[in-house]
Amino acid sequence: MGLVVILFFFGLAGGVVGRIKGSSFVLWFLISACVPFFGLLAAVFSRWDNRELRRQCPGCGRVLKLHDAICTTCGTELEFPDVAIASEASVRARALSSQPR
Ligand SMILES: [Zn+2]
């Protein structure tokens, strides 16, 4: 019984870490609960999805992650772009700081 509680808290911690990083809570909850400790480590060291630079697909205009090599929507092969779009996190930070008090 104690093990279930421990797994649950590992899952919870992993899920929260995943959520903060802009990833799925459920996904990281399951990973951390199935592979306790290592799942949580993976969540901590995973990429910050919402801090990645982004770029726009020239084929369909969809906004993708900068490191994507192929558009998941239209299948266009993507060259490394000259211009990147700021990450979600930095856009949000800028919007917050420019608000009048
Ligand atoms: Zn596309």
Side-chain angles (χ1 to χ4, degrees):
M1 191 57 209
L3 183 66
V4 177
V5 175
I6 290 168
L7 290 184
F8 176 80
F9 279 107
F10 264 112
L12 203 63
V16 169
V17 171
R19 189 73 209 87
I20 291 170
K21 292 193 170 186
S23 192
S24 160
F25 175 87
V26 177
L27 175 74
W28 284 108
F29 180 91
L30 290 176
I31 292 174
S32 304
C34 294
V35 200
F37 195 69
F38 290 108
L40 183 57
L41 276 184
V44 169
F45 289 109
S46 70
R47 265 201 297 262
W48 288 77
D49 275 359
N50 55 5
R51 288 197 184 172
E52 294 285 319
L53 286 175
R54 295 170 297 167
R55 51 109 61 92
Q56 199 167 25
C57 170
C60 63
R62 196 188 130 110
V63 175
L64 305 153
K65 296 287 190 293
L66 189 64
H67 55 79
D68 285 348
I70 274 187
C71 175
T72 48
T73 308
C74 65
T76 303
E77 272 193 52
L78 305 166
E79 312 242 321
F80 203 79
D82 300 327
V83 208
I85 305 173
S87 69
E88 286 167 47
S90 70
V91 168
R92 209 176 303 140
R94 210 173 301 154
L96 282 177
S97 62
S98 65
Q99 267 172 6
R101 287 166 199 270

